[in-house]
Amino acid sequence: HVGKDNAVTLQQYKGVANESGYWDGEGEYFTFENAGEYKIDVEARYTSEDGGLWVGRLVYGSAIATPDGPIIAHGRRGPDDIRSISPPWGFGSDFEPGGHHQFPFFTGDILWGIEGSDPNREEMGPGDSVNTLLSFEALDTKHPLVARAIKQVPPDNVGGDISSYVKAGQIPLATFVELNPDGSDKSLSQGFRPEQLNLRAYSYTSAQRPGVRVRELIQGNDVGIAYWRFNDAYHMQSGNGQGGDLPGDFKFLYGATVIRDIELKEGIFAIYGSGWVLARDDDPMGSRFMPPFQGNAGGPNGGPLFTVHGREIDMFFLPLGVRPGSVLEVGDIFRMAGPIMPTLPSRVEYTVTAPDGSTRSFDGRANAVGYFYNPQDDFELDRPGLWTVDLAVMHDGMTSAGSVQEPYPNGGPLTPDGRTFTFVVTDSDTHLLDMVTDLTRRNPLLWYGNTIQNARFEAPLPQGWTGETAHLIITMPGIVLAQKDLLIEDGVIKWSLKPEEMNRLAENFDYDSGLADTI
């Protein structure tokens, strides 16, 4: 963590995951106590039985907001090929073809994209892509850092006059050599010197789909190639099909704006969040960027986010601590953590039921961009068996269009019933079932070739065991596809994966071009 005064706080954690790959952080956590920036480096290592070393690494970062700061982080209005101030909400068909949509202007808003052309036109764009650009609104234009950041924006970035952008609250972030007091260019008379870059104004931007990293950038000026199209295979990351995004796929769009003076050891920071959903090409509204909740707060109605398990979804919670279907061990720490879409400070209530029927109930509110975690709610899992979480989210506050009205928008996890999910806790007496699948007899390359129409999974009960039912949990990143009891047939638990059936439950389940989702 790097504070506004350049002070660096370094904290390291290490441990060993359980047999199913879950690591609870040894019960530790890090609290961001001061505004600033952070960077997280993660490395996982595994040595196989034959001595092979497997290593996975990731790096990411962003900022922690300045309390009651002088700036607000925003996306951008309209497509990126327009040098004027567009409305904050609208349709792709409102604009000429070409260009790319940008992160929605207001935190909490939703951008629906489409892979094809917008209604009543053949030309592509802007609805088929997203550019990762942010801006900021100056609440105090006389704040020393804010005033300097506004002054150093190149005129070419704002059509020659920045005043309209300041008034609209859409000021670009740019890091350049500051001018002399008389307005002349320092570099012309003195040449470049590092201290001329003491003032730095830049943004963090991030687009994340469950299980797939899409874009992560730090930009000191507008970058024209920071966009992506929805047929991008994202380097064929595990869980992503060769066709890229499918209707019903969703992404969390996060960002932060930073203005800091390295020499003076001063800085201000603001954070941002919004949502993206891929709509069907035949959606009559086409691509659009709108407030959430289907006009509940009085703004335009962009429709539901998407449909899962036959239900229209207006908001949901994505568990990223203990996830649906996780296999944990007695002594592991239960953590409820994750984002809410729309990315707003909504309420969260949940009850955790242990195998013996005892319950623990918690409630709280997400942060300004919809992220929820309260470390005081963590607890140790003390008994083996099937645990159940009943979770609900509700938004009772402001949106970009105003305050929501009763009945307040609500939702839960993306599960068959929209409220509950289950996970398993094991101990030393737990028998692990020997599960087999006919997929192992097929070359994995065929999984992506549309040659597999179904797959069979079987697990015989241990010798001497009897039972009538088994509990089945089937998940893909972000969504629980099935959560039900199965009848045991002749001492064998059997389940058939029928991709087309899964796709009817969740439209973003890959099957048309082969099996790809991590299940």
Side-chain angles (χ1 to χ4, degrees):
H1 173 267
V2 181
K4 67 177 184 179
D5 57 357
N6 302 344
V8 177
T9 301
L10 177 64
Q11 184 70 47
Q12 295 181 321
Y13 304 90
K14 62 181 179 180
V16 179
N18 70 17
E19 289 294 322
S20 299
Y22 176 79
W23 183 55
D24 63 5
E26 310 297 318
E28 296 183 284
Y29 57 88
F30 183 86
T31 300
F32 292 117
E33 297 179 345
N34 300 299
E37 299 167 76
Y38 69 89
K39 175 189 174 188
I40 298 179
D41 296 89
V42 182
E43 179 179 278
R45 289 175 172 242
Y46 173 75
T47 302
S48 59
E49 293 181 356
D50 61 3
L53 177 63
W54 297 74
V55 180
R57 295 189 179 102
L58 65 84
V59 179
Y60 61 95
S62 190
I64 303 95
T66 301
D68 301 317
I71 62 173
I72 298 174
H74 288 303
R76 301 278 185 96
R77 295 175 170 92
D80 60 1
D81 60 347
I82 295 179
R83 293 297 182 185
S84 60
I85 304 297
S86 302
W89 308 309
F91 299 88
S93 56
D94 294 339
F95 305 92
E96 293 296 322
H100 319 91
H101 280 317
Q102 305 179 89
F103 279 20
F105 184 70
F106 291 111
T107 282
D109 278 3
I110 306 295
L111 168 60
W112 287 265
I114 56 174
E115 274 201 272
S117 57
D118 276 298
N120 303 316
R121 65 166 59 157
E122 296 182 359
E123 302 90 344
M124 300 294 289
D128 63 340
S129 53
V130 179
N131 203 350
T132 59
L133 296 177
L134 293 186
S135 63
F136 72 92
E137 177 181 354
L139 300 179
D140 180 5
T141 57
K142 296 182 179 180
H143 186 285
L145 292 182
V146 175
R148 291 167 62 195
I150 294 173
K151 186 176 180 180
Q152 76 171 7
V153 175
D156 289 347
N157 285 17
V158 290
D161 180 13
I162 199 171
S163 60
S164 61
Y165 286 80
V166 173
K167 184 177 180 180
Q170 186 174 299
I171 306 168
L173 293 116
T175 297
F176 287 95
V177 175
E178 290 189 271
L179 300 176
N180 289 310
D182 63 0
S184 61
D185 191 334
K186 288 182 180 179
S187 61
L188 296 178
S189 58
Q190 300 177 357
F192 171 76
R193 294 187 300 177
E195 59 267 26
Q196 294 171 0
L197 285 175
N198 286 339
L199 182 71
R200 303 178 186 183
Y202 51 94
S203 66
Y204 290 85
T205 51
S206 168
Q208 306 293 327
R209 206 181 87 193
V212 177
R213 302 175 76 178
V214 179
R215 285 292 186 277
E216 296 162 18
L217 295 95
I218 303 174
Q219 303 177 69
N221 193 18
D222 289 1
V223 178
I225 58 173
Y227 66 89
W228 76 91
R229 299 192 188 280
F230 311 143
N231 59 0
D232 193 329
Y234 308 123
H235 300 289
M236 289 301 290
Q237 294 176 59
S238 179
N240 191 74
Q242 58 187 330
D245 296 318
L246 296 180
D249 269 328
F250 55 87
K251 300 185 178 90
F252 288 88
L253 310 179
Y254 292 118
T257 54
V258 177
I259 306 173
R260 64 155 71 234
D261 188 304
I262 302 299
E263 183 68 22
L264 296 179
K265 297 183 179 181
E266 296 178 351
I268 49 179
F269 314 88
I271 58 176
Y272 165 92
S274 63
W276 173 92
V277 175
L278 185 62
R280 297 178 60 91
D281 281 353
D282 60 1
D283 188 312
M285 287 192 285
S287 68
R288 56 205 184 268
F289 41 101
M290 298 282 182
F293 306 135
Q294 302 195 55
N296 174 287
N301 183 352
L305 297 175
F306 47 79
T307 300
V308 167
H309 290 289
R311 302 188 312 274
E312 290 187 350
I313 304 298
D314 282 327
M315 68 181 302
F316 65 91
F317 183 88
L318 182 65
L320 293 181
V322 171
R323 307 185 186 199
S326 294
V327 180
L328 311 182
E329 297 175 355
V330 168
D332 283 341
I333 302 300
F334 177 90
R335 283 188 166 136
M336 179 58 69
I340 299 170
M341 186 180 291
T343 51
L344 295 167
S346 303
R347 288 198 59 79
V348 180
E349 297 180 353
Y350 65 99
T351 297
V352 184
T353 303
D356 64 355
S358 60
T359 61
R360 296 175 173 90
S361 295
F362 308 91
D363 66 88
R365 189 175 293 276
N367 73 4
V369 293
Y371 179 77
F372 176 81
Y373 173 56
N374 185 352
Q376 282 68 46
D377 294 347
D378 293 353
F379 65 90
E380 183 176 312
L381 296 164
D382 55 4
R383 62 197 65 206
L386 187 69
W387 292 65
T388 301
V389 178
D390 189 319
L391 182 146
V393 291
M394 176 188 69
H395 190 69
D396 56 359
M398 295 293 293
T399 71
S400 60
S403 180
V404 294
Q405 307 298 312
E406 293 183 338
Y408 295 133
N410 61 83
L414 298 176
T415 64
D417 65 4
R419 284 193 64 96
T420 63
F421 67 87
T422 54
F423 63 94
V424 175
V425 176
T426 67
D427 66 3
S428 57
D429 294 328
T430 301
H431 290 258
L432 298 181
L433 296 175
D434 184 17
M435 183 177 292
V436 295
T437 173
D438 56 353
L439 286 176
T440 60
R441 297 196 295 269
R442 305 194 185 191
N443 189 318
L445 292 176
L446 298 176
W447 299 3
Y448 293 93
N450 197 24
T451 61
I452 299 177
Q453 299 304 316
N454 54 67
R456 188 175 68 255
F457 296 83
E458 295 184 357
L461 293 181
Q463 188 173 4
W465 280 50
T466 60
E468 296 182 353
T469 62
H471 189 70
L472 173 77
I473 309 168
I474 303 294
T475 71
M476 60 183 283
I479 299 175
V480 178
L481 297 168
Q483 183 173 274
K484 60 184 179 180
D485 289 340
L486 294 177
L487 289 176
I488 298 174
E489 304 175 17
D490 300 323
V492 179
I493 304 169
K494 300 178 181 180
W495 181 72
S496 292
L497 169 65
K498 300 177 181 179
E500 188 171 1
E501 181 179 304
M502 294 295 101
N503 181 264
R504 286 196 293 269
L505 299 176
E507 195 174 11
N508 57 333
F509 184 87
D510 276 280
Y511 85 98
D512 195 39
S513 58
L515 297 177
D517 289 291
T518 302
I519 62 169

